[in-house]
Amino acid sequence: MKVLKIFLYVLVVLAVAYLAVVIYFYSQDPFVRWDWSKINVNDVCYPKHFLWGTATAAYQVEGGFSNNNWTWWENQKKADGKPTIQNNDKCGRADDHWNLYPLDIKLMKQLGVNAYRFSVAWSKVMPTPDSINHEALKHYQDVCDSLIANGIEPMVTLFHFTYPLWFQQLGGFEKQENIKHFVRFARVVYKALGTRVKFWVTINEPVVFAYSSYFAGEYPPGKTDPQLTARVALNLLLAHQAVYKAIKSMPRGEGKIIGIVKNVTQMDPYRRFNLLDNLIAYFADLNFNQAYLRAFKTGKFHFFLPGMVNMKQDMPELPSTLDFIGLNYYSHNAFKFTGNIEQSLVALPYPGEQMTDMDYTIYPEGLYRAIKRVAKLDKSIIITENGIADSLDNRRYMFIKRSLYALSRAINDGYHVRGYFYWSLLDNFEWNLGYSKRFGLYAVDYKTEKRTLRQGSKAYVETIKLWKNKCVRKN
Ligand code: NOJ
């Protein structure tokens, strides 16, 4: 009898502990599922001074690159002999946005947007560590002038996954002493564009870059080293901090709005009440989201992958180097414990949801969750990217409507979001996936460079029209 009592007692304690842990994980960023059949996605409203934009990045659209870490990477082979880029694609001429930007600005006008986020190609502006290509700078000045003349606010990203090959050869962001080169580039660009550009992004998705380049080996330099991943992630935060301070100290720098872009992907357990799935999702989240959000909130960086890395660094100035947080949101991931840690850490599409053409699902509720989460930084928020790869164009309309509904709902609930940039204006070069993914509001025929507005993109045009006509909030 006594043994049975003890047994029951232990069982109850274990069950309570189990539940407590699961509830703790859940409470960090509660899972949300909306019943879309009961939602009117046109019931939306946005602030009066709202940035409606599209986003691109230099390497993905401009064409004409050389001496760049990605042009080098495109010509390498993986350890198994396979090409580094899907279908052995090369970036090449891409969308020829370098030459066709006047046309593309017209296309922006046709969408009704009032903002454009693009990046400046470091390898074109500084072909060697000590030289500046003034023609390249003039090109970006022309782009800005043309945008402004068309009533479109430019937002500049300084580092969007690519840099000059010479910087990679110096060790890139693996070495703290190399940050000075990035700061120098930022100063050069700021000097050329500072009077034209108010919104600045220092670094796009530092975690995606560090992880893809140094953990997964899918981006150049193709390394798979957890220690280096942590070091690069840390150095990118230091680089952000240094560039923020550099720009602020330059003429009119004080008035600039400078931020970093964080991709927030929710890491959800595959089985909601499975403790091991929860644990795996917790560690994935810790190293993809929480470590960075915490660093910007508290000034303490801690990268911890049990058995692989444990890196801590105090960065007391970091929290004061953010005028806004740029949020990229695409989807959530699911994690399932399989008995093998490495295998369990592979992100899965969340079960039971419709797929995009990428290896993740459509989950617009996650945009609301991501906004709620980054709002903990107490900074204003700009959605710097959100979009869908949909080559058949049979999900884009619904995706945009639902995402913009989630955005409106978050704003209505009091979250301070200043703008939304759709990814992307055009189909483009999707890094290691080459030209296989179709993210564009405009479809691009890469043979002729002809751009065609997709049917599904009309959801964006309609919503901006709706906002212009009647659904403006007072604040
Ligand atoms: C985020 C990246 O910033 C961008 O370069 C990429 O194309 C999109 N995600 C889509 O995957």
Side-chain angles (χ1 to χ4, degrees), residues 251-401:
R252 295 169 308 278
E254 264 311 313
K256 300 300 169 190
I257 301 175
I258 309 173
I260 195 166
V261 164
K262 173 77 188 86
N263 172 323
V264 172
T265 300
Q266 290 92 23
M267 307 298 177
D268 287 324
Y270 195 92
R271 297 160 291 193
R272 190 93 52 88
F273 296 105
N274 183 298
L275 183 64
L276 296 170
D277 287 7
N278 270 279
L279 262 175
I280 295 282
Y282 172 80
F283 278 109
D285 181 76
L286 194 66
N287 291 296
F288 191 83
N289 297 313
Q290 189 56 17
Y292 309 88
L293 296 175
R294 195 200 292 125
F296 276 102
K297 182 82 186 164
T298 64
K300 289 185 190 305
F301 177 71
H302 187 189
F303 190 114
F304 177 53
L305 264 179
M308 288 191 238
V309 204
N310 188 9
M311 186 180 285
K312 283 185 185 171
Q313 170 96 28
D314 281 346
M315 310 175 78
E317 290 174 301
L318 195 67
S320 60
T321 62
L322 216 51
D323 301 326
F324 75 92
I325 176 77
L327 170 63
N328 285 2
Y329 174 74
Y330 286 88
S331 185
H332 61 161
N333 288 332
F335 290 89
K336 191 180 195 174
F337 185 75
T338 61
N340 170 312
I341 296 277
E342 233 171 82
Q343 203 183 50
S344 309
L345 275 169
V346 174
L348 301 170
Y350 199 84
E353 290 173 350
Q354 193 174 8
M355 290 300 290
T356 66
D357 291 350
M358 299 289 278
D359 55 4
Y360 49 73
T361 61
I362 298 178
Y363 179 57
E365 293 95 322
L367 178 58
Y368 185 98
R369 279 173 71 184
I371 292 172
K372 190 172 161 194
R373 187 153 184 205
V374 298
K376 291 188 183 136
L377 293 176
D378 292 322
K379 307 283 176 188
S380 63
I381 301 164
I382 298 179
I383 313 304
T384 35
E385 281 182 38
N386 176 231
I388 183 171
D390 173 18
S391 61
L392 298 175
D393 197 31
N394 57 6
R395 291 146 288 172
R396 188 171 279 102
Y397 190 89
M398 172 270 280
F399 172 87
I400 295 178
K401 281 284 179 183

Side-chain angles (χ1 to χ4, degrees), residues 60 160-161 204-205 328 330 358 360 385 423 430-431 439:
Q60 298 181 268
H160 197 126
F161 296 170
N204 180 69
E205 299 189 347
N328 285 2
Y330 286 88
M358 299 289 278
Y360 49 73
E385 281 182 38
W423 186 273
E430 180 58 24
W431 308 114
F439 276 95

Side-chain angles (χ1 to χ4, degrees), residues 6-47:
I6 293 172
F7 178 72
L8 279 177
Y9 180 75
V10 170
L11 213 62
V12 168
V13 169
L14 281 178
V16 169
Y18 188 106
L19 261 179
V21 175
V22 170
I23 289 170
Y24 170 76
F25 286 145
Y26 178 77
S27 68
Q28 296 304 295
D29 177 14
F31 184 86
V32 172
R33 164 88 62 226
W34 295 336
D35 180 354
W36 291 101
S37 68
K38 298 209 171 87
I39 287 173
N40 173 8
V41 287
N42 292 315
D43 183 13
V44 288
C45 197
Y46 308 93

Side-chain angles (χ1 to χ4, degrees), residues 59 67-78 84-85 159-165 167-169 171-174 206-224 228-229 232 236 429-433:
Y59 199 82
N67 293 324
N68 180 287
N69 57 334
W70 273 86
T71 39
W72 168 81
W73 182 239
E74 285 166 12
N75 293 301
Q76 304 304 305
K77 289 260 177 288
K78 288 188 188 164
T84 48
I85 314 289
F159 175 60
H160 197 126
F161 296 170
T162 86
Y163 39 58
L165 193 54
F167 185 70
Q168 177 170 294
Q169 282 158 354
F173 288 109
E174 292 171 31
V207 195
V208 173
F209 174 78
Y211 174 82
S212 310
S213 310
Y214 290 94
F215 193 89
E218 284 166 353
Y219 290 8
K223 297 190 181 175
T224 49
L228 259 186
T229 308
V232 169
L236 286 169
F429 182 78
E430 180 58 24
W431 308 114
N432 57 320
L433 302 177

